[in-house]
């Protein structure tokens, strides 16, 4: 208030405002909230305290008079009232949806039309994802895999978003987006090779399972630490911008990632640099065992975008048509307007966080079953394509049977392949391996030769 008194009492800068009280004497009450007065597309001014013409005075609904002045960052309206911005709006941001829970289009809904071919491919890909997750999850429980996590409940976000992108777009995934790389053409056998970390794994067995990557498909290898891919996506997008590419960067994250500093740094970088990146947040309600209401007090994630100057939308992530349409539009805006977009996809993680988790310890089984049955993105989309005459029970049975056979075949084949050689632990970092790593390599080789029974027999020395 002291700053406001000084500002209002400066007669050389301030004119009288209408018929109000003389400027310099503070009048008004403490107000708990205020509405947005002006919106700026871009803040460019850096002239401090530059008085503009009185003709730029404005009047709001409460009959308060404002003076527009320049500050670092742009012009601001001036008010004699002390008004704090409310913690959040009384109304929550709406969620864009096309199909209801029974697969019927909502009257008046606007969405991107999809052909029969595309719709069937999207549905088949979601089923493939579901079947694959079931088999590999069971394999981990049998002790054949060290770790696994599924996309159960989030198949719609995976496939609908992937179908809305171009292979020229760079994807920086979290760890629940295997459907995206499958859509781009990554073979099931390569998925299995990575899970078992055999010699055909592109990562040479140096990553834990479910951390896929492909240079050819512009799908950057997953990194386990939470949120590290988000600022990297802003950088990739800025690189595409400098190279004038007709492409954008896409990064996926969970609601838990928004509690990390990297999320906020990335949004700020992207906004300031006008980087063509689409941030897709899967708000599935839980960051492992932490519910969203214990993570943040804001209205979800989409509301955070406005604070950073980023266009945002909230979409029903279990609605394939809505998600596909929203990501298509977001991608187009990001590339054509060269700006970042934030998409909050509302969904629910039906499965455990991973094979290292038991979600029934922190949430009711009834809640999980409700989302698994009544809210399934696969069931909802199937109802829609069946009503269009594009799918039937015979198609369903054939698809699930064939997919199961394929997954079992690639898993059994990958399981039998030997592991990468021990030497690969020390490659791909330095052009010439330094002496300290050479010594470590020799030490391990000697240890294996000395006690061969204590080491896996399928790892070549």
């Amino acid at each position: 208030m002291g700053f406001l008194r000084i500002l209002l009492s400066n007669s050389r800068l301030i004119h009288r405002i209408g018929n109000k009280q003389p400027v310099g004497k503070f009048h008004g009450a403490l107000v708990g909230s205020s509405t947005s007065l002006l919106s700026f597309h871009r803040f460019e001014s850096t002239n401090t305290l530059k008085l503009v013409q009185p003709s730029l005075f404005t009047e709001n609904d409460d009959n308060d008079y404002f003076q527009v002045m320049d500050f670092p960052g742009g012009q601001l309206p001036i008010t004699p009232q002390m008004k704090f911005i409310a913690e959040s709006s009384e109304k929550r941001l709406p969620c864009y949806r096309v199909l209801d829970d029974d697969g019927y289009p909502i009257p008046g809904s606007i969405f991107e039309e999809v052909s029969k071919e595309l719709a069937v491919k999207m549905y088949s890909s979601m089923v493939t994802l579901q079947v694959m997750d079931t088999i590999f999850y069971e394999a981990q429980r049998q002790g054949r895999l060290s770790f696994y996590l599924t996309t159960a409940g989030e198949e719609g976000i995976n496939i609908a978003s992937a179908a809305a992108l171009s292979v020229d777009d760079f994807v920086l995934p979290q760890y629940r987006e295997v459907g995206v790389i499958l859509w781009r053409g990554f073979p099931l056998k390569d998925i299995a090779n990575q899970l078992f970390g055999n010699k055909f794994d592109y990562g040479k067995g140096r990553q834990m399972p479910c951390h896929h990557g492909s240079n050819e498909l512009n799908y950057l290898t997953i990194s386990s630490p939470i949120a590290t891919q988000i600022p990297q996506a802003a950088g990739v997008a800025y690189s595409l911008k400098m190279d004038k590419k007709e492409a954008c960067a896409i990064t996926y994250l969970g609601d838990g990632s928004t509690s990390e500093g990297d999320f906020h740094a990335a949004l700020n970088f992207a906004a300031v640099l006008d980087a063509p990146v689409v941030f897709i947040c899967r708000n599935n309600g839980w960051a492992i065992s932490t519910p969203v209401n214990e993570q943040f007090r804001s209205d979800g994630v989409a509301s955070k975008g406005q604070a950073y100057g980023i266009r945002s939308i909230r979409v029903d992530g279990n609605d394939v048509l809505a998600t596909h349409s929203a990501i298509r539009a977001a991608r187009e805006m990001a590339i054509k307007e060269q700006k970042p977009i934030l998409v909050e996809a509302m969904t629910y993680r039906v499965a455990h966080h991973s094979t290292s988790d038991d979600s029934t310890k922190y949430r009711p089984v009834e809640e999980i079953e409700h989302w698994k049955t009544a809210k399934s993105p696969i069931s909802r989309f199937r109802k829609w394509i069946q009503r269009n005459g594009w799918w039937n029970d015979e198609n369903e049975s054939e698809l699930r049977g064939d997919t199961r056979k394929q997954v079992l075949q690639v898993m059994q084949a990958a399981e039998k392949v030997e592991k990468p050689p021990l030497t690969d632990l020390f490659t791909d970092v330095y052009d010439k391996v330094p002496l300290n790593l050479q010594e470590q390599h020799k030490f391990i080789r000697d240890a294996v030769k000395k006690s061969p029974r204590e080491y896996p027999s399928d790892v070549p020395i």
Side-chain angles (χ1 to χ4, degrees):
M1 184 160 56
F3 170 74
L4 190 60
R5 285 182 182 275
I6 294 172
L7 179 63
L8 293 176
S9 64
N10 191 336
S11 60
R12 297 192 338 186
L13 289 176
I14 307 298
H15 290 268
R16 292 284 293 272
I17 306 178
N19 295 320
K20 294 289 183 179
Q21 294 290 337
V23 178
K25 185 175 181 181
F26 182 78
H27 292 270
L30 183 66
V31 182
S33 64
S34 65
T35 57
S36 177
L37 304 175
L38 292 176
S39 62
F40 300 94
H41 172 66
R42 181 74 172 167
F43 299 92
E44 297 178 345
S45 173
T46 56
N47 295 325
T48 306
L49 299 179
K50 177 183 177 183
L51 184 65
V52 298
Q53 297 299 322
S55 60
L56 291 181
F57 291 156
T58 61
E59 184 176 358
N60 76 347
D61 295 337
D62 298 325
N63 203 34
D64 294 328
Y65 288 82
F66 302 92
Q67 191 172 30
V68 182
M69 300 184 68
D70 273 356
F71 281 91
Q75 292 183 340
L76 292 176
I78 302 299
T79 176
Q81 306 297 318
M82 185 184 294
K83 296 190 176 183
F84 286 81
I85 300 174
E87 294 88 341
S88 60
S89 172
E90 294 180 359
K91 295 182 179 180
R92 296 200 66 185
L93 294 174
C95 184
Y96 169 53
R97 176 189 257 197
V98 174
L99 299 176
D100 64 18
D101 290 341
D102 293 320
Y104 286 100
I106 298 174
S109 57
I110 300 173
F111 62 96
E112 182 84 17
E113 295 284 350
V114 295
S115 65
K116 173 184 176 180
E117 181 183 10
L118 179 59
V120 170
K121 183 180 178 182
M122 286 198 289
Y123 179 73
S124 300
S125 298
M126 286 193 289
V127 171
T128 298
L129 198 54
Q130 186 182 60
V131 172
M132 182 187 76
D133 277 346
T134 300
I135 292 174
F136 285 134
Y137 185 89
E138 291 173 350
Q140 194 282 333
R141 287 300 189 233
Q142 295 168 358
R144 299 161 73 178
L145 289 175
S146 62
F147 174 85
Y148 194 75
L149 52 80
T150 75
T151 60
E154 302 175 40
E155 300 94 344
I157 296 175
N158 264 252
I159 302 304
S161 63
L165 305 176
S166 164
V167 73
D168 293 328
D169 300 325
F170 280 76
V171 175
L172 291 89
Q174 191 178 21
Y175 43 58
R176 218 177 290 278
E177 285 78 40
V178 64
V180 179
I181 196 171
L182 278 173
W183 180 271
R184 292 193 164 200
F186 203 65
L188 283 172
K189 64 179 181 64
D190 288 340
I191 293 290
N193 289 334
Q194 197 284 324
L195 294 175
F196 285 96
N198 61 35
K199 68 178 183 179
F200 296 131
D201 169 26
Y202 293 141
K204 299 183 179 181
R206 295 179 293 207
Q207 273 277 22
M208 63 188 295
C210 301
H211 287 54
H212 310 284
S214 170
N215 289 336
E216 181 183 358
L217 300 175
N218 291 332
Y219 188 98
L220 277 67
T221 303
I222 298 166
S223 179
S224 289
I226 296 297
T228 54
Q229 79 281 5
I230 314 177
Q232 293 168 3
V236 170
Y238 191 61
S239 175
L240 293 172
K241 180 188 183 80
M242 290 192 296
D243 291 340
K244 302 185 185 303
K245 299 288 187 180
E246 287 292 319
C248 66
I250 309 289
T251 187
Y252 294 82
L253 56 138
D255 48 271
S257 296
T258 68
S259 297
E260 294 285 341
D262 277 352
F263 168 79
H264 301 276
L267 263 62
N268 194 51
F269 270 120
V272 171
L273 298 175
D274 286 324
V277 53
V278 179
F279 301 99
I280 303 178
C281 176
R282 298 173 285 95
N283 187 345
N284 62 24
W286 297 89
I288 306 185
S289 60
T290 305
V292 290
N293 62 349
E294 293 183 13
Q295 287 189 68
F296 38 71
R297 288 290 179 265
S298 61
D299 177 12
V301 177
S303 62
K304 302 177 189 293
Q306 189 175 32
Y308 289 101
I310 294 179
R311 190 177 300 169
S312 309
I313 188 173
R314 173 175 289 160
V315 61
D316 183 349
N318 287 11
D319 181 346
V320 173
L321 291 182
T323 302
H324 178 259
S325 298
I327 302 303
R328 284 265 297 189
R331 176 186 182 273
E332 183 177 350
M333 287 186 287
I335 295 174
K336 287 188 176 181
E337 301 181 35
Q338 290 293 288
K339 63 172 55 177
I341 306 293
L342 173 62
V343 179
E344 179 184 16
M346 309 300 292
T347 185
Y348 188 87
R349 172 170 53 80
V350 170
H352 306 304
H353 176 76
S354 71
T355 49
S356 303
D357 172 51
D358 180 2
S359 63
T360 62
K361 299 294 185 182
Y362 52 81
R363 58 185 186 179
V365 174
E366 296 78 12
E367 177 182 296
I368 300 172
E369 285 301 313
H370 171 71
W371 282 91
K372 187 176 182 179
T373 55
K375 301 286 187 179
S376 168
I378 296 179
S379 297
R380 190 193 302 189
F381 197 56
R382 179 184 175 181
K383 292 173 183 177
W384 183 74
I385 61 174
Q386 282 194 189
R387 289 196 186 96
N388 288 336
W390 299 344
W391 199 252
N392 56 43
D393 292 343
E394 184 179 345
N395 298 141
E396 184 77 13
S397 178
E398 183 180 354
L399 171 64
R400 289 186 177 274
D402 289 346
T403 302
R404 180 174 177 79
K405 290 179 182 178
Q406 291 178 40
V407 175
L408 287 173
Q409 287 174 358
V410 298
M411 182 179 73
Q412 292 165 0
E415 195 173 22
K416 297 175 182 177
V417 177
E418 66 180 10
K419 304 301 181 185
L422 192 65
T423 305
D424 283 349
L425 282 174
F426 304 91
T427 59
D428 302 328
V429 176
Y430 297 98
D431 180 34
K432 295 182 179 179
V433 181
L435 289 177
N436 64 317
L437 290 186
Q438 293 180 32
E439 292 172 358
Q440 290 179 33
H441 187 191
K442 183 178 183 303
F443 176 83
I444 294 177
R445 286 168 59 92
D446 293 343
V448 173
K449 290 179 180 179
K450 183 177 181 181
S451 307
R453 294 183 179 181
E454 296 182 14
Y455 296 90
S457 60
D458 58 347
V459 179
I461 297 179

